[in-house]
Amino acid sequence: MNFVIGSDHAGFQLKELVKSHLIGRGHQVEDAGPAAPESCDYPVYGLKVANLVAAGEYDQGVLICGTGLGMSMAANRVRGARAALCTNEFQARMARAHNNANILVLGERVLGSELALSILDAYLETRFEGGRHERRLALLDRME
Ligand code: RB5
């Protein structure tokens, strides 16, 4: 798949790790920044990645900040973005299977790196189930 990834300073180290992990699994990854771990504002990168995914330029996005909360808030302001903050593998599987999430959000200050990559793998391995979930996502779209 074709990924775009972004973070703020508090998600920078995990961004680098997730990037290598995705590349190691044969995915293409565009790094939307930042390029260095200096203090920066999560809405800038959250909106950048969400806009690119919502515009269909990438299959999936990954956003990382300290808690994952700010990135979720920013990304879900964008029409067509379905950003899912996941703290365990079950949420990651459901985010894809039921919510057809197109952006995985992680909190570097919440998760150990091993758990973060395991959540990422669960997200990658799961496909949208469609069916009744299509109707619910259509209801969400009507709210936009
Ligand atoms: C940065 O200190 C922190 O506030 C940010 O990474 C994020 O957790 C916000 O939701």
Side-chain angles (χ1 to χ4, degrees):
M1 277 193 286
N2 206 4
F3 280 82
V4 58
I5 186 167
S7 74
D8 68 355
H9 54 287
F12 185 83
Q13 300 302 334
L14 184 56
K15 170 165 73 72
E16 299 305 301
L17 203 63
V18 166
K19 209 162 65 178
S20 312
H21 192 78
L22 286 171
I23 291 167
R25 276 168 165 58
H27 298 287
Q28 285 179 300
V29 186
E30 175 70 22
D31 190 338
E38 273 82 53
S39 181
C40 60
D41 300 325
Y42 61 80
V44 172
Y45 297 96
L47 291 177
K48 192 171 170 186
V49 166
N51 278 323
L52 287 166
V53 172
E57 301 214 13
Y58 295 88
D59 302 316
Q60 283 285 332
V62 179
L63 282 168
I64 308 166
C65 62
T67 59
L69 294 169
M71 282 300 193
S72 304
M73 291 178 192
N76 281 319
R77 300 254 173 143
V78 174
R79 181 184 288 261
R82 291 181 302 280
L85 171 58
C86 296
T87 56
N88 59 54
E89 294 89 340
F90 177 70
Q91 285 177 313
R93 282 193 293 274
M94 290 301 103
R96 291 289 306 126
H98 287 191
N99 309 113
N100 199 16
N102 53 14
I103 300 174
L104 172 64
V105 186
L106 299 169
E108 179 173 334
R109 292 176 177 166
V110 178
L111 305 168
S113 52
E114 225 172 280
L115 176 57
L117 295 182
S118 174
I119 290 168
L120 174 64
D121 283 338
Y123 187 86
L124 293 174
E125 285 159 11
T126 312
R127 296 286 160 266
F128 180 48
E129 286 176 6
R132 67 191 186 281
H133 304 296
E134 296 273 15
R135 183 181 70 244
R136 293 162 188 169
L137 293 179
L139 287 169
L140 277 185
D141 286 345
R142 277 172 48 188
M143 295 165 71
E144 288 180 335

